[in-house]
């Protein structure tokens, strides 16, 4: 398990590929002994494992945080404000630096070049050709397909995050290059994947920490779904897209416009075909987790995350990037998990927690009884100095110092062995999940809904996810079609995939980015106005946010040993509800007699601060704490919520969202004027 990650220590492999750090000027990437590195499947895999390691450490490090995919949607934002770390997430391209994402751009090109070279060497081997010619799936054909799929993944990441880029120059010396149309690149990626997916093992025949036919099928489907979806395209480079014809939404600002290709249905049909293969035919051992074997617990949704927090692969994953605790890999949960404090007492708990939940989503998104709510979102974190669970105030701040509700899917407190040997800050060993079954199922439902040829099938897929979410069939949807069905799918994806880096792409692909951005900003404005006027605001969900809540540290079951809670439906138990929080008994540099766990009153209902209930709580040792009041009464918090939540849509309500990252200055300078950044991004 996690064999790929261990190969990073094979430092002699660094010299196998020469010149890949300057990806557009690679002379001969195989100048060392090709015969040796291809002498056996094991040696060839060691070579490929170095490419995996490069991708993990420099392209995927931090998960989607570094690309800001989960910092700017109608559910998620960044509470560190003001900062340059989220300007692309906010749709403010002119505020970024040209080198802001250079490391990721260069790393993707390095891996792409190495993977292509490995595939080329394998293709020359007699053993591979014999197996491929006889349509046999063997270790050699798998490794060839694996290298091609890693190449395709990196090419797709380039297109998704940088738009139209120079492409096809790997492993050869070039003095001139130019932009390639993203549509041409996506077509090439898809065709390359189609050519190799049948040569690969399925998950179960091979670990989910390696690229398989299962994921290759899903990747074709994902790329095709995006290729046929709405996206922001450049209008400042004449002839860039050749003869592709588009339909448009909104106006052209002279640089870009929101568009969808007119032959989009061809790609949606392709997406349906290959997502169906991934979900139903070549899924191997991958499945939607629908049962929970743990004693006293019944939350199959959280059980997937329990695997990840326990540093195990999950049976729901199509592809995970393998990490090892203490090896410099596995930044989850530091960047995207449940917050901690920056304290030497337990350095493992130093969790920055960049991704926070927009308060209106926290209060209004999930229906009562949805088992995904509490394992996905939390309002408390871990204070290392005292070993206590603490509230995270609403407002500007990171770690446990502020920011309000956070992602709860990655939590150092949870897992079979929380204090895992050799686990370190930013090196937890928790795998990065690239795709899981619920994601693939809901993309398949989306393709079916767009095509309009199988609404029943789309609804069935949604309802399988909802059955898992609620534990029964009482919340099934029915009778939807067209835009209503699509809206239901996108809403389900928000609830299921919160914090995983997908909601933002759904907004873009749907063609409704601006509408959704404007709507969530209005939700926040309405909430702030209600809090200021009345001291509370009640959402359509029936939940109420108030200016104040009351908290108290308690000893659960009479013991001052910290308790990690699980699910709790008893709304009258302030120490356990909401569930899936608490704190592991880490120990502390400062002794506390107050209790380790935090009881909370008034989180979802209004308590009159001048009333009898508030007085009784305070007499019982509870403390009144600022909560919703910060949203409207704290100037810094007001500025943050107004700015950090997609403020780039303001004044551009009829223009395209600008969400791409800049290509590095070296790409611009060395192109002899043929490559520029668009979308308002810097070029120097």
């Amino acid at each position: 398990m996690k064999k790929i990650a261990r190969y990073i220590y094979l430092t002699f492999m660094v010299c196998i590929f020469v010149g890949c750090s300057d990806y557009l000027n690679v002379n001969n990437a195989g100048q060392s002994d090709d015969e040796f590195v291809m002498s056996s499947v094991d040696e060839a895999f060691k070579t490929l494992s170095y490419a995996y390691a490069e991708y993990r450490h420099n392209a995927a490090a931090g998960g989607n945080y570094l690309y800001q995919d989960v910092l700017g949607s109608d559910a998620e934002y960044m509470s560190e404000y003001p900062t340059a770390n989220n300007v692309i997430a906010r749709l403010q391209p002119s505020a970024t630096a040209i080198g802001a994402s250079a490391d990721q751009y260069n790393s993707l090109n390095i891996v792409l070049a190495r993977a292509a070279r490995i595939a080329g060497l394998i293709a020359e081997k007699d053993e591979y050709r014999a197996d491929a010619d006889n349509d046999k799936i063997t270790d050699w054909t798998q490794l060839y397909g694996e290298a091609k799929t890693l190449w395709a993944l990196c090419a797709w990441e380039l297109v998704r995050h940088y738009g139209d880029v120079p492409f096809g120059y790997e492993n050869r010396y070039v003095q001139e290059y130019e932009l390639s149309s993203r549509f041409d690149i996506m077509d090439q990626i898809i065709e390359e994947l189609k050519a190799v997916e049948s040569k690969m093992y399925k998950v179960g025949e091979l670990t989910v920490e390696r690229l398989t036919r299962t994921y290759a099928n899903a990747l074709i489907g994902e790329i095709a779904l995006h290729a046929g979806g709405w996206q922001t395209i450049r209008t400042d480079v004449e002839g860039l897209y050749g003869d592709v014809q588009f339909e448009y939404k909104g106006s052209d600002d002279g640089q870009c416009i929101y568009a969808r290709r007119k032959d989009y249905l061809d790609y949606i049909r392709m997406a349906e075909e290959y997502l169906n293969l991934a979900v139903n035919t070549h899924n191997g051992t991958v499945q939607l987790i629908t049962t929970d074997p743990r004693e006293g617990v019944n939350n199959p949704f959280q059980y997937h995350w329990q695997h990840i927090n326990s540093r195990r692969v999950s049976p729901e994953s199509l592809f995970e990037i393998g990490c090892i605790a203490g090896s410099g890999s596995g930044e989850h949960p530091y960047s995207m998990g449940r917050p901690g404090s920056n304290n030497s007492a337990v350095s493992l708990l130093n969790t920055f927690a960049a991704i926070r939940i927009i308060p209106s989503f926290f209060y209004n998104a999930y229906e009562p009884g949805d088992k995904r709510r509490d394992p996905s979102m939390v309002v408390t974190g871990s204070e290392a100095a005292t070993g206590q669970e603490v509230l995270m105030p609403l407002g500007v701040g990171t770690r446990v110092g502020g920011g309000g509700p956070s992602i709860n899917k990655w939590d150092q407190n949870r897992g079979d062995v929380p204090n895992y040997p050799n686990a370190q800050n930013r090196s937890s060993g928790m795998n990065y999940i690239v795709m899981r079954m619920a994601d693939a199922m809901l993309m398949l439902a989306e393709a079916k809904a767009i095509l309009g040829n199988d609404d029943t099938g789309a609804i069935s897929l949604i309802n399988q996810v909802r059955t898992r979410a609620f534990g029964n069939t009482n919340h099934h949807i029915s009778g939807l079609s067209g835009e209503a069905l699509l809206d239901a799918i996108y809403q389900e994806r928000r609830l299921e995939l919160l914090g995983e880096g997908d909601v933002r792409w759904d907004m873009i692909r749907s063609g409704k980015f601006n509408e959704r951005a404007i709507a969530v900003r209005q939700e926040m404005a309405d909430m702030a106005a209600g809090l200021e006027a009345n001291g509370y605001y009640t959402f359509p969900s029936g939940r109420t946010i108030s200016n104040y809540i009351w908290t108290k540290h308690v000893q659960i079951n009479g013991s001052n040993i910290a308790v990690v809670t699980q699910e709790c439906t008893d709304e009258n138990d302030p120490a356990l509800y909401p569930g899936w929080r608490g704190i592991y008994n880490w120990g502390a540099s400062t002794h506390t007699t107050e209790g380790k766990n935090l009881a909370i009153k008034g989180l979802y209902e209004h308590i009159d601060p001048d009333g009898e209930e508030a007085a009784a709580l305070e007499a019982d040792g509870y403390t009144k704490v600022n909560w919703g009041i910060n949203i409207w009464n704290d100037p810094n918090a007001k500025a943050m919520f107004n700015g950090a939540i997609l403020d780039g849509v303001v004044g551009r309500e009829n223009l395209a969202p600008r969400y791409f990252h800049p290509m590095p200055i070296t790409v611009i300078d060395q192109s002899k004027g043929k490559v520029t950044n668009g979308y308002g991004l810097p070029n120097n």
Side-chain angles (χ1 to χ4, degrees):
M1 186 174 169
K2 305 192 177 180
K3 182 178 180 182
I4 296 170
R6 292 188 175 92
Y7 280 124
I8 189 173
Y9 299 112
L10 299 174
T11 55
F12 73 90
M13 301 305 298
V14 175
C15 298
I16 286 177
F17 296 98
V18 178
C20 284
S21 62
D22 192 1
Y23 54 90
L24 288 174
N25 292 293
V26 173
N27 187 2
N28 180 358
Q31 289 175 354
S32 62
D33 190 351
D34 294 342
E35 183 178 354
F36 170 73
V37 300
M38 290 293 142
S39 60
S40 69
V41 169
D42 284 346
E43 291 300 331
F45 177 69
K46 290 176 186 177
T47 309
L48 185 62
S49 74
Y50 185 83
Y52 272 111
E54 168 65 31
Y55 179 77
R56 177 181 64 250
H57 278 276
N58 295 313
N64 292 296
Y65 161 63
L66 292 181
Y67 290 114
Q68 305 183 34
D69 296 353
V70 281
L71 298 178
S73 76
D74 59 354
E76 308 133 333
Y77 79 106
M78 187 177 192
S79 60
E80 183 189 28
Y81 188 85
T83 176
N85 287 340
N86 70 341
V87 291
I88 298 299
R90 293 169 47 203
L91 312 174
Q92 297 283 7
S94 61
T96 196
I98 192 168
S101 300
D103 289 347
Q104 290 76 35
Y105 184 92
N106 292 337
S107 180
L108 290 171
N109 277 284
I110 289 169
V111 180
L112 183 151
R114 288 173 172 166
R117 177 62 177 159
I118 294 167
L121 291 172
I122 295 173
E124 295 172 359
K125 291 190 66 65
D126 292 340
E127 297 97 318
Y128 166 77
R129 287 199 296 267
D131 294 339
D133 290 346
N134 290 301
D135 295 325
K136 293 172 61 178
I137 302 176
T138 67
D139 290 351
W140 278 118
T141 66
Q142 160 62 33
L143 200 59
Y144 176 77
E146 195 171 351
K148 281 288 193 179
T149 304
L150 185 55
W151 169 90
L153 174 59
C154 291
W156 165 231
E157 294 279 46
L158 283 169
V159 168
R160 180 155 62 160
H161 295 293
Y162 299 91
D164 310 288
V165 297
F167 190 74
Y169 300 101
E170 65 268 16
N171 298 320
R172 58 192 180 94
Y173 180 76
V174 295
Q175 291 183 302
E176 293 188 11
Y177 51 89
E178 58 188 8
L179 289 176
S180 295
S181 160
R182 80 187 64 170
F183 299 100
D184 291 344
I185 298 172
M186 286 189 282
D187 283 347
Q188 185 178 342
I189 298 170
I190 288 170
E191 291 309 308
E192 294 278 5
L193 285 169
K194 285 182 177 180
V196 302
E197 57 89 19
S198 63
K199 306 178 191 301
M200 302 172 70
Y201 297 129
K202 302 186 290 288
V203 173
E205 298 170 334
L206 200 65
T207 173
V208 73
E209 293 174 308
R210 290 178 62 179
L211 292 160
T212 61
R213 185 177 195 178
T214 309
Y215 178 71
N217 287 160
L219 183 58
I220 294 171
E222 179 183 44
I223 296 171
L225 195 62
H226 281 268
W230 290 92
Q231 53 202 287
T232 299
I233 63 170
R234 293 182 69 162
T235 57
D236 60 335
V237 182
E238 186 176 355
L240 177 58
Y241 303 116
D243 58 2
V244 179
Q245 300 295 307
F246 299 100
E247 55 183 309
Y248 305 104
K249 283 193 173 186
S251 302
D252 183 353
D253 65 358
Q255 293 182 323
C256 56
I257 193 169
Y258 210 15
R260 178 172 67 178
R261 56 187 305 159
K262 288 186 176 180
D263 60 351
Y264 71 96
L265 289 176
D266 293 341
Y267 290 87
I268 304 304
R269 280 187 283 269
M270 188 189 309
E272 182 189 32
E273 176 186 357
Y274 280 90
L275 286 166
N276 181 64
L277 289 173
V279 170
N280 296 312
T281 307
H282 300 145
N283 56 303
T285 57
V286 182
Q287 58 184 322
L288 187 74
I289 298 174
T290 57
T291 59
D292 188 342
R294 296 171 294 182
E295 184 178 354
V297 183
N298 184 20
N299 196 320
F301 170 82
Q302 196 280 332
Y303 191 45
H304 163 76
W305 299 104
Q306 189 72 13
H307 283 292
I308 302 304
N309 286 316
S310 300
R311 300 165 181 85
R312 297 189 300 265
V313 297
S314 168
E316 187 166 321
S317 297
L318 279 75
F319 176 44
E320 296 181 10
I321 299 172
C323 300
I324 294 178
S327 68
S329 67
E331 188 166 326
H332 289 336
Y334 176 82
S335 57
M336 300 168 63
R338 186 180 175 202
S341 59
N342 189 2
N343 187 286
S344 60
V346 186
S347 60
L348 184 63
L349 291 181
N350 180 5
T351 305
F352 182 73
I355 293 90
R356 299 305 176 100
I357 309 301
I358 296 175
S360 61
F361 182 93
F362 178 81
Y363 276 90
N364 196 48
Y366 289 91
E367 298 173 51
D370 194 327
K371 294 174 177 287
R372 295 172 295 192
R373 187 192 70 176
D374 293 344
S376 296
M377 310 185 298
V378 66
V379 297
T380 63
S382 311
E383 173 52 65
T386 62
Q388 291 178 306
E389 177 188 15
V390 294
L391 181 76
M392 299 170 297
L394 278 167
V396 178
T398 57
R399 298 182 174 88
V400 293
S406 77
I407 301 297
N408 200 26
K409 292 176 175 178
W410 300 274
D411 182 9
Q412 295 283 22
N413 294 284
R414 196 163 296 283
D416 296 348
V417 183
N419 196 10
Y420 196 79
N422 301 318
Q424 301 170 11
N425 174 38
R426 307 188 87 161
S427 299
S428 71
M430 295 181 191
N431 280 1
Y432 300 140
I433 304 165
V434 178
M435 187 183 295
R436 59 187 178 90
M437 181 56 80
D439 183 5
M441 291 171 64
L442 291 172
M443 282 195 290
L444 177 57
E446 181 183 347
K448 289 178 180 294
I450 294 171
L451 293 171
N453 60 357
D454 188 10
D455 290 346
T456 300
I459 290 171
S460 174
L461 288 161
I462 300 168
N463 284 338
Q464 289 178 59
V465 174
R466 289 180 69 79
T467 298
R468 193 258 295 270
F470 289 95
N472 55 55
T473 62
N474 299 337
H475 297 265
H476 279 190
I477 66 169
S478 62
L480 299 180
S481 62
E483 286 299 311
L485 178 54
L486 274 171
D487 287 344
I489 292 168
Y490 292 130
Q491 171 64 4
E492 203 64 40
R493 287 179 62 81
R494 282 209 308 168
L495 302 174
E496 180 72 24
L497 302 169
L498 180 71
E500 298 178 50
D502 298 283
V503 178
R504 183 177 178 85
W505 295 111
D506 295 345
M507 292 175 68
I508 294 164
R509 193 172 64 246
S510 71
K512 299 179 180 179
F513 191 99
N514 287 0
E515 292 93 324
R516 287 175 61 170
I518 293 166
V520 72
R521 288 178 62 83
Q522 187 60 54
E523 285 177 359
M524 286 294 296
D526 292 344
M527 179 187 68
L531 286 166
E532 183 174 7
N534 304 310
Y536 63 92
Y537 180 80
T538 301
F539 289 91
S541 66
R543 300 186 190 97
T544 297
I545 181 173
S546 300
N547 279 340
Y548 306 101
I549 58 178
W550 283 257
T551 65
K552 172 185 176 182
H553 282 104
V554 297
Q555 298 179 9
I556 296 180
N557 299 324
S559 171
N560 198 26
I561 295 175
V563 175
V564 180
T565 66
Q566 300 191 105
E567 61 186 342
C568 177
T569 58
D570 183 1
E571 298 185 19
N572 295 314
D573 189 334
L576 300 181
Y577 184 87
W580 298 106
R581 53 187 183 95
I583 187 169
Y584 177 71
N585 195 39
W586 298 99
S589 59
T590 302
H591 180 67
T592 177
T593 58
E594 296 177 280
K596 300 282 191 175
N597 290 77
L598 191 70
I600 308 172
K601 296 288 287 186
L603 184 63
Y604 290 126
E605 68 282 333
H606 178 61
I607 296 174
D608 182 355
D610 298 318
E612 293 181 0
E613 183 177 2
L617 286 171
E618 291 167 19
D620 191 32
Y622 281 83
T623 299
K624 184 175 75 171
V625 179
N626 285 359
W627 186 241
I629 191 172
N630 291 344
I631 293 174
W632 61 270
N633 197 42
D634 179 342
N636 292 327
K638 288 176 66 176
M640 178 190 69
F641 285 118
N642 183 59
I645 301 176
L646 303 172
D647 65 335
V649 75
V650 178
R652 293 185 59 89
E653 292 85 352
N654 196 42
L655 299 173
R658 299 179 295 177
Y659 50 85
F660 289 113
H661 291 262
M663 292 176 283
I665 188 67
T666 52
V667 179
I668 308 300
D669 286 351
Q670 296 174 19
S671 72
K672 299 180 180 179
K674 293 185 177 181
V675 175
T676 60
N677 282 313
Y679 318 105
L681 291 162
N683 280 293
N684 53 56

